[in-house]
Amino acid sequence: RERAVAAPGPSAPGAAPPSAQPPPPPFGGSADRRAQRPGPGGAGGGQGPPGGPWEGRESFGRPGADTTEPGGLRRADNTPGRVVQSPPETGRLPWSTGYAEVINAGKSRHNEDQACCEVVYVEGRRSVSGAPREPSPSQQGLCFYYWGLFDGHAGGGAAEMASRLLHRHIREQLKDLVEILQDPSPPPLCLSSTPGTPGSSDPSHLVGPQSCWPSQKEVTHESLVVGAIENAFQLMDEQLAQEQHGHQVEGGCCALVVIYLLGKVYVANAGDSRAIIVRNGEIIPMSREFTPETERQRLQLLGFLKPELLGGEFTHLEFPRRVQSKELGQRMLYRDQNMTGWAYKKIELEDLRFPLVCGEGKKARVMATIGVTRGLGDHNLKVCSSSLPIKPFLSCFPEVRVYDLTQYEHCPDDVLVLGTDGLWDVTSDCEVAATVDRVLSTYEPNDPSRYTALAQALVLGARGTPRDRGWRLPNNKLGSGDDISVFIIPLGGPGSYS
Amino acid sequence: RERAVAAPGPSAPGAAPPSAQPPPPPFGGSADRRAQRPGPGGAGGGQGPPGGPWEGRESFGRPGADTTEPGGLRRADNTPGRVVQSPPETGRLPWSTGYAEVINAGKSRHNEDQACCEVVYVEGRRSVSGAPREPSPSQQGLCFYYWGLFDGHAGGGAAEMASRLLHRHIREQLKDLVEILQDPSPPPLCLSSTPGTPGSSDPSHLVGPQSCWPSQKEVTHESLVVGAIENAFQLMDEQLAQEQHGHQVEGGCCALVVIYLLGKVYVANAGDSRAIIVRNGEIIPMSREFTPETERQRLQLLGFLKPELLGGEFTHLEFPRRVQSKELGQRMLYRDQNMTGWAYKKIELEDLRFPLVCGEGKKARVMATIGVTRGLGDHNLKVCSSSLPIKPFLSCFPEVRVYDLTQYEHCPDDVLVLGTDGLWDVTSDCEVAATVDRVLSTYEPNDPSRYTALAQALVLGARGTPRDRGWRLPNNKLGSGDDISVFIIPLGGPGSYS
């Protein structure tokens, strides 16, 4: 991602050092990219245990990359410097998923975006009922389809590691649920820990009158999958913490992940990537962005409740501009953590500290350093010229939205579009929908290469073409100088494409 | 409000004591209700200083009440016991506002709902520029229209006090803004504290390069009004804290407040009352409810960050039913503060504590005690058989929504409906919209009594009629046994009605 971590300014207390230096080279480099194409039955890269030895460190997470070509991806245009690339064989990714990417305009030597597309098989851990497991056709395991975009900052290590391992954490979390999710009855509230002893999921086990709690809550299968994804994000972040404790892995990343399981699409987002569904020309937002602006109140509340996290350097109050010492005693507009409006307050000494949240739009920052408030990694990120950690203000938890694929008859032009902020910084949802219509209408509905062509068109459209002063869009506005990655997931025919 | 505070159950750690006893009699009693009808120019009850001696304690906050009738309100039906009442002279409230109320079905001797309708004049405090103030026609002050519903619980004192004083706090907060709001230029970011010294609102005063903060934020007039309302709620709550410190005032209340100022309608809600606009048959939600369910994650986060607030009696984790000691070591579904989904965890000793948030729907509770998570007062509210205060989990801050009255040409049938939960527990938004259409179509558009008739119809429809087993609705479902209060604010002709 671009500008996620601020360059240090003389008057700001800090900015992260990594952006001022070239990022550490990604493991292996681009010539070493290895295919992660899923094999039959969906073995793919999804079989290794997460948390185990991180074998295959030198490989990349880009989907469908080929070892025979330099970079593993195929060029989609001939622009020197920033070539749009896609997997060499279109239509080979699950569901005929389209993918394209382009590197940034010089910010780093390597593309800090990572992507992953997998079919993952989940074997049940053990019988829930405790009885010896008898494999029946319906309970032999579960398969989920997985797409992930990881937009790295301050080093590419976290994005690479997450692109390789997050789906394995999800698989681990789902192992306990294999039988439960395939059983149409409501999930048991309690499981026996000892095989052979059935858990007490019976409401008659309730003891005594409980005026405010007379019954048990209904928990859906869907909410178990959501919980599994949420916990997988947390465990991935903890694994990154262990790696970063020894400084083996640098940086952090936004994570936007899609899972298709048992008829439903789960979109989990932690960061400022974005997912939208374009269905019959209509736009359905499937994520929202987490930035210092959208999460201002959460950040301020944390600073208010835990002032030690501000280290005496920051104030949790927001001001519309930097307060100057000569304004002591004057009255200035401010917002506290409970406010959405503004009011005047008398400036006191504490208000001269740098505000926890400042700036607007792409320049908004937490602690003058980072422009995104959710994601994985960043365990070593500190305020510049300070030992103050920023991680306590960042959340690794995604927001998960669910889309029931069975509730609507999708046609081949209905797609789920995933993009890193490089796409969305210069392209509106409506422009994406227009491109979906324009590109797909030029291909036959059953041509599997149409989704790759669409991904390439979106990446090209956001990058622009090199002209006298930078990369320009047709309207002469600046194109995105950031890494840009796009997945196009067709919703019209999972069965026929997979 | 009904069931906001739980009756104590043997197995629950607590419930607030007041609901088990008759509530303290409201100051003065119903025969002493005094009119709060606004005088010409909108003096009304809005002129006294908030925080000063609380004169007029014996009076009620009900709008348009008359001293000559017992109860000050006029009966709208003849049902014994729970008579629907309205102000005696319809059309006398500002904007021809309609109002009706009914007492609960025996929970308390007095109606714990309070209401207030005022025209409030705001005189500017001083010239912002510091120059001696020269009253010009455009800067002589501001007038705002004000409607408030206060749904009391655990005693009626807080609702009464808030109904009498909250608009005065709002007036105080607006005093500084009188000139600023009437000046079309953007609000100054900084005000001089010394009259005669202009504040530095000039962006050229910025010092040094500020990479992440190159410019000042734009603050709108509208957001200043929102900030004024937010701070007024907080100051009202602080005033209640002072009163409750000496136990002069008991209980707490939800507050739903509407302000009309300079062409815009501000709807501020703290609690589970609700406001909707019905416009040309379309429903526009103007508030959302704050309950243990809707605010679960905020409450859990607070319990997680400040475990001392749980006093060793509660766990911040949520479980779908009460955990039993014999389930130690088994695995049960839970939700943590960052989760929207559910997952299994092994039950440990700490999990046997009562959960901070439990129950569903109207039976959801914080600390097994209170069913609403925002409002004013409750400073003395404790967990039953415990000294653990509940107030830290309650927020006095409203959510404020703004509706621009000038953006649409309203007709006389377009109304803003405010109701306490007594209305909404048994009436959907759509049913309210249908009643709006049905009742208003039977009156001439210029008949000012039509809005009172509508308020009465809504209250009657939610109360039902007494039958063999309780108050019943036409569909034979139980009517609301709660206090019910409804305001109907016509949007079609503020100018012509006021």
Side-chain angles (χ1 to χ4, degrees):
Chain A
R1 42 167 302 107
E2 191 175 43
R3 286 159 298 171
V5 179
S11 70
S19 68
Q21 309 156 3
F27 310 112
S30 60
D32 294 314
R33 289 174 184 185
R34 289 209 306 223
Q36 291 216 346
R37 210 176 301 132
Q47 285 301 311
W54 188 23
E55 78 287 60
R57 274 197 174 201
E58 71 288 357
S59 77
F60 264 72
R62 295 209 158 73
D66 193 324
T67 47
T68 59
E69 288 203 25
L73 297 173
R74 180 166 289 168
R75 289 160 172 257
D77 71 334
N78 290 314
T79 316
R82 295 181 73 197
V83 180
V84 175
Q85 298 186 106
S86 282
E89 289 176 83
T90 59
R92 284 292 302 270
L93 292 178
W95 290 22
S96 295
T97 297
Y99 174 78
E101 63 170 48
V102 74
I103 195 173
N104 63 78
K107 171 183 63 158
S108 59
R109 279 201 299 148
H110 298 280
N111 191 336
E112 289 189 341
D113 284 0
Q114 297 291 332
C116 181
C117 177
E118 292 277 353
V119 186
V120 184
Y121 179 73
V122 191
E123 196 172 10
R125 188 165 275 138
R126 56 168 186 78
S127 171
V128 168
S129 67
R133 207 155 161 278
E134 288 187 40
S136 71
S138 69
Q139 296 194 338
Q140 267 181 336
L142 279 175
C143 216
F144 69 86
Y145 292 81
Y146 173 87
W147 299 260
L149 283 184
F150 303 88
D151 182 349
H153 52 254
E160 279 198 62
M161 191 166 163
S163 74
R164 213 107 33 99
L165 295 178
L166 179 55
H167 53 293
R168 300 191 188 185
H169 282 288
I170 294 172
R171 187 188 57 192
E172 283 301 302
Q173 293 300 306
L174 289 174
K175 274 187 178 170
D176 285 336
L177 306 176
V178 165
E179 282 185 41
I180 293 167
L181 293 177
Q182 291 177 95
D183 182 344
S185 53
L189 303 188
C190 191
L191 301 176
S192 162
S193 57
T194 334
T197 316
S200 56
S201 61
D202 179 359
S204 69
H205 287 205
L206 284 168
V207 279
Q210 292 176 309
S211 62
C212 80
W213 214 6
S215 65
Q216 56 191 21
K217 269 203 173 164
E218 281 223 4
V219 174
T220 62
H221 289 86
E222 181 180 305
S223 69
L224 293 188
V225 178
V226 172
I229 296 169
E230 289 170 328
N231 277 342
F233 269 69
Q234 189 174 29
L235 289 164
M236 183 71 243
D237 195 53
E238 284 171 11
Q239 191 180 5
L240 279 164
Q242 286 166 18
E243 296 284 334
Q244 298 193 324
H245 185 67
H247 292 268
Q248 289 98 333
V249 174
E250 287 300 329
C253 66
C254 300
L256 170 60
V257 153
V258 173
I259 282 160
Y260 171 79
L261 176 66
L262 297 169
K264 285 178 178 165
V265 173
Y266 299 81
V267 180
N269 187 43
D272 66 356
S273 297
R274 186 186 296 171
I276 65 170
I277 284 174
V278 181
R279 190 181 77 181
N280 196 21
E282 183 198 356
I283 292 158
I284 304 170
M286 288 303 295
S287 68
R288 64 185 169 108
E289 288 85 66
F290 297 97
T291 68
E293 287 189 298
T294 64
E295 294 219 278
R296 172 183 64 85
Q297 289 186 277
R298 176 179 76 75
L299 301 165
Q300 286 187 294
L301 177 66
L302 191 54
F304 171 73
L305 291 175
K306 298 257 182 196
E308 66 272 22
L309 298 178
L310 302 173
E313 298 179 43
F314 292 89
T315 167
H316 78 278
L317 295 182
E318 186 192 16
F319 297 96
R321 64 165 171 77
R322 184 75 195 263
V323 182
Q324 302 161 60
S325 51
K326 67 177 179 188
E327 291 169 325
L328 261 176
Q330 296 189 4
R331 295 190 324 134
M332 195 160 181
L333 286 174
Y334 80 104
R335 282 202 288 194
D336 206 342
Q337 88 277 358
N338 282 309
M339 299 168 70
T340 58
W342 294 84
Y344 291 99
K345 85 177 289 286
K346 196 172 165 185
I347 296 293
E348 293 162 77
L349 213 53
E350 285 194 3
D351 303 322
L352 297 178
R353 295 175 182 167
F354 205 82
L356 174 62
V357 176
C358 71
E360 282 185 286
K362 290 303 284 181
K363 296 198 169 155
R365 289 287 179 277
V366 182
M367 295 179 137
T369 304
I370 186 163
V372 69
T373 53
R374 298 213 190 181
L376 303 167
D378 284 322
H379 297 276
N380 295 329
L381 190 62
K382 301 276 195 300
V383 174
C384 186
S385 330
S386 162
S387 61
L388 206 57
I390 292 166
K391 183 69 177 173
F393 290 96
L394 308 179
S395 168
C396 67
F397 275 85
E399 185 189 74
V400 186
R401 298 194 185 181
V402 188
Y403 180 81
D404 190 340
L405 216 54
T406 66
Q407 292 297 299
Y408 187 91
E409 198 157 325
H410 295 88
C411 76
D413 286 7
D414 297 334
V415 291
L416 173 55
V417 181
L418 314 184
T420 51
D421 65 337
L423 172 69
W424 304 105
D425 285 349
V426 297
T427 323
S428 70
D429 291 4
C430 287
E431 288 166 339
V432 167
T435 305
V436 168
D437 180 54
R438 178 173 57 79
V439 174
L440 294 188
S441 64
T442 62
Y443 286 79
E444 290 297 318
N446 59 354
D447 182 345
S449 70
R450 63 206 305 259
Y451 305 111
T452 300
L454 174 54
Q456 291 169 348
L458 287 171
V459 171
L460 264 166
R463 183 203 64 180
T465 45
R467 275 194 260 164
D468 40 339
R469 290 189 317 284
W471 297 79
R472 297 279 169 180
L473 305 180
N475 60 13
N476 211 36
K477 283 188 183 167
L478 274 175
S480 172
D482 199 2
D483 303 311
I484 312 170
S485 307
V486 170
F487 267 129
I488 303 293
I489 306 173
L491 302 176
S496 55
Y497 291 123
S498 64
Chain B
R1 43 170 298 112
E2 190 173 43
R3 288 159 297 172
V5 178
S11 71
S19 67
Q21 309 154 1
F27 311 111
S30 61
D32 295 315
R33 290 173 184 185
R34 290 209 307 222
Q36 291 216 345
R37 210 176 300 132
Q47 284 301 312
W54 189 23
E55 77 291 54
R57 274 198 173 203
E58 70 287 358
S59 76
F60 264 72
R62 295 207 158 73
D66 192 323
T67 48
T68 59
E69 287 203 27
L73 297 172
R74 181 167 286 169
R75 288 158 173 259
D77 72 334
N78 289 315
T79 316
R82 296 181 72 197
V83 180
V84 175
Q85 299 185 106
S86 281
E89 289 175 82
T90 59
R92 285 292 303 270
L93 292 176
W95 290 21
S96 294
T97 297
Y99 174 79
E101 63 169 50
V102 74
I103 195 173
N104 63 78
K107 171 183 64 157
S108 61
R109 281 201 300 147
H110 298 280
N111 191 335
E112 288 188 342
D113 283 359
Q114 297 291 332
C116 181
C117 177
E118 293 277 352
V119 186
V120 184
Y121 179 75
V122 190
E123 195 173 10
R125 189 166 274 139
R126 55 170 187 76
S127 171
V128 169
S129 67
R133 205 156 163 279
E134 287 187 41
S136 70
S138 69
Q139 297 194 337
Q140 267 182 336
L142 279 175
C143 217
F144 68 86
Y145 292 81
Y146 173 88
W147 299 260
L149 283 184
F150 304 87
D151 183 348
H153 53 254
E160 279 198 61
M161 193 165 161
S163 74
R164 213 103 37 95
L165 296 178
L166 179 55
H167 53 293
R168 300 192 189 186
H169 282 288
I170 294 172
R171 187 189 57 193
E172 284 300 302
Q173 293 301 305
L174 289 174
K175 274 187 179 171
D176 285 336
L177 306 176
V178 165
E179 282 184 43
I180 292 167
L181 293 176
Q182 292 177 94
D183 183 343
S185 53
L189 304 187
C190 191
L191 301 176
S192 161
S193 57
T194 336
T197 318
S200 56
S201 60
D202 179 0
S204 69
H205 287 205
L206 283 169
V207 279
Q210 293 177 310
S211 62
C212 80
W213 214 6
S215 66
Q216 55 191 20
K217 270 204 172 165
E218 279 224 6
V219 174
T220 62
H221 288 88
E222 182 180 305
S223 70
L224 293 188
V225 178
V226 172
I229 295 170
E230 289 171 328
N231 277 342
F233 269 69
Q234 188 174 31
L235 289 165
M236 182 72 242
D237 195 54
E238 283 172 10
Q239 191 180 5
L240 279 163
Q242 286 166 17
E243 295 284 334
Q244 298 193 324
H245 185 67
H247 291 268
Q248 289 99 331
V249 174
E250 288 300 329
C253 66
C254 300
L256 170 60
V257 154
V258 173
I259 282 158
Y260 171 79
L261 176 65
L262 297 171
K264 285 178 179 164
V265 173
Y266 299 81
V267 180
N269 188 43
D272 65 357
S273 297
R274 187 187 298 170
I276 65 170
I277 283 174
V278 181
R279 191 182 76 181
N280 196 21
E282 182 197 358
I283 293 158
I284 304 170
M286 289 302 295
S287 68
R288 64 184 170 109
E289 287 86 67
F290 297 97
T291 69
E293 287 189 297
T294 64
E295 294 219 277
R296 172 183 64 84
Q297 289 185 279
R298 177 180 74 77
L299 300 165
Q300 286 186 293
L301 177 66
L302 192 55
F304 171 73
L305 292 175
K306 297 257 183 195
E308 65 273 21
L309 298 178
L310 302 173
E313 299 179 42
F314 293 89
T315 167
H316 78 278
L317 295 182
E318 186 192 15
F319 297 97
R321 64 164 171 79
R322 185 74 195 261
V323 182
Q324 301 161 60
S325 50
K326 66 177 178 188
E327 292 169 327
L328 262 176
Q330 296 188 4
R331 294 187 327 132
M332 194 160 181
L333 286 173
Y334 80 104
R335 281 201 288 194
D336 207 342
Q337 87 276 357
N338 282 311
M339 298 168 71
T340 59
W342 295 83
Y344 291 98
K345 85 178 286 288
K346 195 171 167 187
I347 296 294
E348 294 163 75
L349 212 53
E350 283 194 4
D351 302 323
L352 296 178
R353 295 175 183 168
F354 204 83
L356 175 62
V357 175
C358 70
E360 282 184 286
K362 290 303 283 183
K363 295 196 169 157
R365 289 286 178 279
V366 182
M367 294 180 138
T369 303
I370 187 163
V372 69
T373 52
R374 297 213 190 182
L376 304 167
D378 285 321
H379 297 276
N380 296 329
L381 190 62
K382 301 277 195 301
V383 174
C384 187
S385 330
S386 162
S387 61
L388 205 58
I390 292 165
K391 183 68 178 174
F393 290 96
L394 308 179
S395 168
C396 67
F397 275 84
E399 185 189 75
V400 186
R401 299 194 185 181
V402 188
Y403 180 81
D404 190 339
L405 215 54
T406 65
Q407 292 298 300
Y408 187 91
E409 197 156 325
H410 295 88
C411 75
D413 287 5
D414 296 334
V415 291
L416 173 55
V417 181
L418 314 183
T420 52
D421 64 338
L423 172 68
W424 304 106
D425 284 349
V426 297
T427 324
S428 70
D429 291 4
C430 287
E431 288 166 338
V432 167
T435 305
V436 168
D437 180 53
R438 179 174 56 79
V439 173
L440 294 187
S441 64
T442 63
Y443 286 79
E444 289 296 319
N446 59 355
D447 181 346
S449 70
R450 63 206 305 259
Y451 305 110
T452 301
L454 173 54
Q456 291 168 348
L458 287 171
V459 172
L460 263 167
R463 182 204 64 182
T465 46
R467 276 193 257 164
D468 40 339
R469 290 187 320 283
W471 298 80
R472 296 279 169 179
L473 305 181
N475 61 12
N476 209 38
K477 283 189 183 165
L478 274 176
S480 172
D482 198 0
D483 304 310
I484 312 169
S485 307
V486 170
F487 268 127
I488 302 294
I489 306 172
L491 303 176
S496 54
Y497 291 124
S498 63

